[in-house]
Amino acid sequence: MKYAIITVTKNGADLACKLQNTLKICDIYVKKDRYDISLAGHIYEYEKMSKVIKNIFAEYEAIIFFTSTGIAVRMIAPFIVHKVKDPAVIVLDEKANFAISLLSGHLGGANELTLKIADILNAIPVITTATDTNKIIAPDVVARKYNLGSKSDMRRFERELKKSVMDQAKTSIMRGTHKVTCPHCGHNLNAHIGSNTCPHCKQLIHLNLDI
């Protein structure tokens, strides 16, 4: 996986070089006349950030900004296509206080890369995807693991996964017992799906599965 790092300030460029030393596979783009590009390899100057992003957006698997979040959003907005095609986008402030997973958190791997960058730079990772904040594995993460790279692959995977989860849930419910209240005598009992006899009033209770 190859990354592009976009910086504006000297401090941002210093942090970019630190990332490059650890991640290795990084190209750094620095604002012209803000940094001595002889200090590191694979480092390039730019005059207009928007032109750089236009040229590289589809060329890298991840783009890391050392800018404000607002700048990063404005730069990438015209080029966003779909989660199965877009690169991971991560944003850090120029002092690396926070590392924010901005785009393609799951399929693009931005969440995973954000955690890695945060660890390298001692930053606080900011990840806002609901599955991650609730400690749930997202279908997109599994899809990425198995290299499901097209829309049709992803949609088929999601359909099959949902069906599999639903089938397992139904099986678990069918085999289990459930606490219910007898509609005849009002006593509580454990019942399974189908016909049951209340142990208190001996009346027949039918428990339906409705999912």
Side-chain angles (χ1 to χ4, degrees):
M1 180 180 284
K2 195 166 186 178
Y3 311 134
I5 307 178
I6 312 297
T7 72
V8 178
T9 66
K10 180 183 181 302
N11 199 55
D14 286 336
L15 290 168
C17 290
K18 183 176 181 179
L19 268 187
Q20 186 187 61
N21 288 336
T22 304
L23 299 175
K24 304 300 183 184
I25 44 177
C26 298
D27 291 333
I28 301 172
Y29 295 85
V30 300
K31 184 74 172 175
K32 188 176 181 181
D33 298 327
R34 299 282 178 88
Y35 197 73
D36 184 355
I37 63 173
S38 67
L39 296 176
H42 297 278
I43 184 167
Y44 312 97
E45 289 185 321
Y46 68 86
E47 292 187 357
K48 291 192 68 175
M49 189 187 298
S50 58
K51 186 175 180 179
V52 173
I53 301 305
K54 180 180 180 180
N55 291 336
I56 71 169
F57 190 77
E59 302 302 318
Y60 290 89
E61 293 183 69
I63 300 176
I64 304 160
F65 286 88
F66 280 92
T67 66
S68 69
T69 305
I71 288 175
V73 169
R74 291 179 190 278
M75 290 298 106
I76 68 173
F79 312 111
I80 295 172
V81 179
H82 190 275
K83 65 181 180 179
V84 301
K85 293 184 177 181
D86 298 328
V89 177
I90 296 97
V91 185
L92 295 97
D93 60 275
E94 72 136 19
K95 290 190 176 182
N97 292 309
F98 300 96
I100 304 169
S101 176
L102 186 65
L103 185 71
S104 294
H106 292 148
L107 274 182
N111 290 354
E112 182 180 350
L113 183 57
T114 295
L115 294 173
K116 189 173 185 177
I117 290 171
D119 185 58
I120 295 168
L121 298 180
N122 197 28
I124 297 172
V126 180
I127 296 173
T128 58
T129 41
T131 49
D132 293 270
T133 55
N134 287 285
K135 309 299 182 185
I136 299 170
I137 297 176
D140 286 3
V141 172
V142 183
R144 180 169 178 265
K145 180 179 178 181
Y146 292 100
N147 296 314
L148 302 178
S150 69
K151 283 187 190 180
S152 59
D153 285 344
M154 186 60 199
R155 287 169 181 165
R156 183 174 67 254
F157 169 77
E158 287 180 341
R159 287 196 301 270
E160 291 176 356
L161 180 62
K162 287 176 182 176
K163 183 179 183 300
S164 176
V165 170
M166 186 62 74
D167 288 346
Q168 290 184 46
K170 286 181 178 179
T171 299
S172 178
I173 291 171
M174 288 293 293
R175 291 177 177 175
T177 58
H178 312 277
K179 289 185 177 181
V180 299
T181 300
C182 176
H184 305 289
C185 67
H187 282 90
N188 294 326
L189 67 146
N190 291 320
H192 57 77
I193 301 299
S195 297
N196 300 265
T197 300
C198 176
H200 303 284
C201 66
K202 309 305 180 185
Q203 295 292 315
L204 187 66
I205 303 170
H206 194 75
L207 186 62
N208 293 316
L209 174 63
D210 185 15
I211 296 180

